[in-house]
């Protein structure tokens, strides 16, 4: 944002299912400009990726020199249904592999691979770049990382490698229930009541089998006891996050946790972990993504 | 279906969220004719119920004598958003209360109340009629009833009363995940592989906290190990039903279970219960509904 007229030395791209974000970067790691669009991977066919990227970043590029500025991209752009498949690295391994995958076309686009785990089977795409960014921001960092989101991830990091990880459908369950179940009638507020959240976390964390009954109980409590929409939202979040924490206990018990993510959702995770006596330090999701993309670009020099 | 030209003595109606079903009945309990439509409660405003019922049953009624044939109805038609609210009976109580609620309009329509429970808060509408039907079909029956469905119910019946019950969002979770989550890519088969179902039931029944991770694991196993769509469907059903059985264990452990419901879903519940050494006897959902509506009609005589 400091010098939008300067030709960037490289371009950083975070290309998820629903959003495309790009940063014009200098060789020394300065952000010269930034841009974003709704051209997420989820709405693009394989031949639509380059036009979408040109539409967003074309004004940064020298005339006739599309191929002269390298682009480093992470996220679902490297999925099988994306621009080109960037085959998963398999844990245990460093979050960034030695090779990036070149996308077809006239631009110089290099895609970071996701990570997979053999047993239990699991995958990530995009989070590996955030983990690499965390390690870049805190050289030598070891510990447990939690990345709340649509598919929340917990990962164990040791000696610069991702040792193991697990994904949970927490965010997607929340969205599917809030939008496509009988609970939509109960969630007419935007706010989340933290007292209801705390109680619900405690319930499913200690008794995770109570999830499916507790979910219907939100509707019943609305009908019978006039449960407020704010409390219903807190209860839905709490039941789901509590059940996730019950499953992720081997990751966080007796440890410190780095939470990658900003905003209300990460704050709820921090609150729930703190209640269990687990210190949680928050890292901004954009900062870690950009630090990870920068680390991948440096590896290419 | 035996005598569609005879004027019925009464009409039985099962009016759910998505379906309206009606039976022309004789005083002795014979089914004279049957009809159904998509005019479920979910798509009707309060003034659209009588026209929908007339459209379906008008040919059974004597000319100019709409009010002369009593209609006994159960289900969501009696919800707050239905035709008229039939206030819940509160357990412990018999499944059918002494009074039905008259719907406004020119027809003689009497609606069966649902049941509620104070703690933990819970509600049912429609299932109380099926439970009453089970008791009518098996006078003196005591035990545990399971009613699989969108909102599965478990109920304890003793001395003709519903003592307690619990609802689980199992069916709605299945539908929301199968249609509105990343799992939709993994469920492209119609069939359910029972081996995958059995293994998944066993997993969440013993470790219910594994639900949210296991759900994402279906997607990961599809990407990494080529998990077949039939197996993915079995695994999704199994994880959800296993988690429900873990929560409902106080109901079924060491008991016999009456399963009300037909078709593949009830068969999966029976399979899962049998694997736990719990005998499950299946009752047809339509038979029990009609027996319950008939019991309510007899109570009115």
């Amino acid at each position: 944002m400091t010098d939008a007229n300067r030709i960037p030395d490289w371009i950083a791209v975070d290309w998820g299912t629903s959003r495309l974000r790009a940063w014009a970067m200098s060789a020394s790691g300065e952000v010269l400009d930034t841009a974003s669009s709704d051209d997420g991977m989820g709405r693009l066919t394989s031949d639509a990726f380059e036009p979408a990227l040109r539409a967003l970043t074309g004004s940064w590029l020298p005339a006739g020199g599309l191929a002269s500025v390298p682009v480093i991209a992470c996220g679902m752009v490297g999925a099988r249904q994306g621009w080109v498949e960037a085959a998963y690295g398999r844990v245990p391994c460093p979050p960034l592999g030695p090779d990036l995958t070149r996308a077809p076309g006239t631009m110089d686009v290099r895609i970071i691979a996701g990570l997979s785990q053999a047993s239990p089977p699991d995958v990530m795409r995009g989070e590996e770049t955030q983990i690499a960014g965390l390690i870049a921001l805190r050289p030598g960092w070891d510990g447990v990382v939690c990345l709340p989101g649509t598919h929340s991830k917990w990962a164990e990091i040791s000696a610069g490698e991702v040792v193991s990880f697990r994904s949970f459908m927490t965010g997607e369950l929340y969205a599917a229930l809030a939008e496509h179940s009988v609970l939509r009638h109960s969630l007419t507020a935007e706010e989340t009541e933290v007292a209801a959240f705390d109680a619900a976390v405690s319930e499913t964390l200690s008794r995770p089998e109570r999830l499916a009954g507790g979910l219907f109980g939100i509707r019943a409590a609305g009908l019978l006891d006039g449960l407020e929409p704010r409390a219903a939202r807190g209860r839905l979040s709490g039941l789901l996050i509590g059940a996730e924490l019950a499953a992720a206990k081997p990751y966080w018990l007796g440890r410190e946790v780095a939470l990658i993510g900003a905003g209300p959702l990460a704050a709820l995770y921090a609150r729930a972990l703190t209640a269990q006596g687990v210190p949680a330090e928050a890292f901004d999701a954009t900062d870690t993504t950009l630090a990870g993309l920068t680390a991948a670009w440096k590896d290419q020099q």
Side-chain angles (χ1 to χ4, degrees), chain A:
Chain A
M1 275 167 276
T2 55
D3 195 354
N5 296 320
R6 198 169 131 197
I7 291 174
D9 293 301
W10 66 287
I11 293 173
V13 167
D14 176 21
W15 209 325
T17 302
S18 54
R19 295 288 294 169
L20 164 59
R21 296 191 301 163
W23 296 264
M25 304 293 294
S26 77
S28 63
E30 275 174 282
V31 175
L32 306 175
D33 199 6
T34 177
S36 69
S37 79
D38 290 331
D39 279 329
M41 164 271 194
R43 59 193 266 181
L44 299 177
T45 54
S46 62
D47 57 355
F49 283 88
E50 184 165 321
L53 186 58
R54 280 196 206 192
L56 190 67
T57 64
S59 66
W60 297 339
L61 299 169
L66 279 179
S68 64
V69 179
V71 176
I72 309 291
C74 69
M76 292 303 284
V77 65
R80 205 171 296 170
Q81 297 82 15
W83 191 346
V84 63
E85 184 171 4
Y88 297 109
R90 175 143 297 188
V91 298
C93 65
L96 299 180
D99 301 312
L100 305 190
T101 300
R102 285 289 297 263
T106 53
M107 295 177 74
D108 172 6
V109 177
R110 309 170 198 178
I111 300 178
I112 296 173
L115 297 181
S116 70
Q117 177 172 274
S119 179
D122 214 327
V123 292
M124 66 168 71
R125 271 198 196 279
E127 293 89 351
E128 76 294 327
T129 303
Q130 295 183 306
I131 293 171
L134 173 64
I135 296 173
L137 293 170
R138 293 279 175 90
W141 189 90
D142 268 5
V144 175
V145 186
C146 171
L147 304 104
T150 305
H151 302 144
S152 301
K153 312 280 182 192
W154 289 80
E156 169 85 42
I157 313 300
S158 178
E161 295 201 334
V162 179
V163 178
S164 72
F165 67 100
R166 276 321 303 271
S167 305
F168 300 92
M169 295 258 296
T170 308
E172 195 151 34
L173 278 168
Y174 184 94
L177 289 167
E179 291 160 29
H180 302 288
S181 86
V182 70
L183 295 187
R184 68 188 183 279
H185 305 301
S186 305
L187 301 171
T188 50
E190 290 295 319
E191 308 82 36
T192 297
E193 188 193 294
V194 291
F197 172 81
D198 292 345
V201 168
S202 158
E203 194 172 326
T204 48
L205 179 47
S206 58
R207 303 285 301 272
E209 74 277 15
R210 294 202 175 166
L211 179 60
L215 292 174
F216 188 80
I218 294 172
R219 174 65 175 156
L223 290 169
L224 298 179
D225 306 333
L227 182 73
E228 296 283 343
R230 294 171 58 244
R233 205 168 267 284
R235 206 160 153 67
L236 176 58
S237 274
L239 290 172
L240 290 168
I241 292 176
E244 176 181 328
L245 292 184
K249 207 169 189 173
Y251 280 95
W252 56 259
L253 192 67
R255 308 289 295 272
E256 293 183 26
V257 172
L259 264 175
I260 298 184
L265 180 62
L268 290 176
Y269 275 78
R271 186 178 176 89
L273 286 166
T274 305
Q276 297 302 315
V278 173
E281 184 180 4
F283 293 81
D284 183 76
T286 301
D287 291 349
T288 51
T289 300
L290 201 49
L293 287 163
T294 302
W297 181 74
K298 285 182 182 161
D299 285 350
Q300 298 275 301
Q301 302 314 299

